[in-house]
Amino acid sequence: MARPRRPLLSHERIVETALALVDAEGLAALSTRRLAAELGVQGPSLYNHVGTKDELIDAVVDSVLGEVDTSMFGELSADNPDWRSALRRWAHSYRTAVAAHPHIVPALASGPGHRPNALRMADAVFGGLVAANWPRREATTVGTLMRYFLTGSSLGSFAAGFPADAEVYADEYPHLNEAHLLADRQQRIDQVAFEVGLESLLDGLEGRFQLLLSSQ
């Protein structure tokens, strides 16, 4: 009887397997040796598809960014300049994609680099803002500011960072007398904080946009 054929090794299969490994165990667990074992191949086979570990991490991060919806920016124009709604929809899509793969967050901070999906996203955001009447220089600033906010909000749960032991706060931190309850409420707290932060950011951008229009 002939041996069953192994699935062909492809860039897509490598990235999917690497992402599953990162999701399960974190970025530190990702290595060519470990990945080769997961794929059932010899290490050198991977180098036909991915050159270095950094390239592999880039590919994994970019696959997640490929899940982010940017179609709303293609709808913007001088006749439909609702950039605020576009930024809001994009921010929620970004948060959803990254929340499904939280272990990739440290690698997001390095910027788009040569990641195709990251560059397509940057292109879509910038192009949409310019189409909606933002000056090019300001559009760059807005895109950068949004990236800071979205990356920062993905770093981890603020609420979960507080010990659940009430005794920790009892004597020296009287204003944190209910901080021990935060961890149990982290999902709601983090979501509310994200929404408040996003709307406050958009309010500030709206004021800046109106000021730019009035100065023209």
Side-chain angles (χ1 to χ4, degrees), residues 114-168:
H114 290 89
R115 301 166 183 166
N117 288 323
L119 290 171
R120 275 192 286 271
M121 181 160 58
D123 181 72
V125 174
F126 178 79
L129 291 172
V130 171
N133 298 319
W134 278 91
R136 293 176 67 88
R137 179 180 296 180
E138 292 288 331
T140 299
T141 300
V142 172
T144 303
L145 179 60
M146 290 296 296
R147 179 172 167 268
Y148 289 161
F149 172 73
L150 293 171
T151 302
S153 68
S154 302
L155 285 174
S157 170
F158 171 81
F162 286 86
D165 182 1
E167 294 300 318
V168 171

Side-chain angles (χ1 to χ4, degrees), residues 77-81 83 128-136 209 212-213 216:
S77 66
D79 295 326
N80 178 36
W83 54 266
L129 291 172
V130 171
N133 298 319
W134 278 91
R136 293 176 67 88
F209 185 69
L212 289 169
L213 290 181
Q216 290 180 354

Side-chain angles (χ1 to χ4, degrees), residues 13-69:
R13 183 174 168 235
I14 290 171
V15 172
E16 287 177 354
T17 304
L19 178 57
L21 179 59
V22 170
D23 285 344
E25 301 183 33
L27 281 170
L30 185 60
S31 68
T32 52
R33 178 178 296 182
R34 178 68 186 281
L35 183 57
E38 294 287 329
L39 290 164
V41 301
Q42 296 298 313
S45 301
L46 296 178
Y47 294 118
N48 293 325
H49 303 274
V50 181
T52 65
K53 181 178 177 179
D54 287 342
E55 288 179 13
L56 180 58
I57 290 174
D58 275 348
V60 168
V61 172
D62 203 50
S63 71
V64 174
L65 295 181
E67 300 173 14
V68 181
D69 182 17

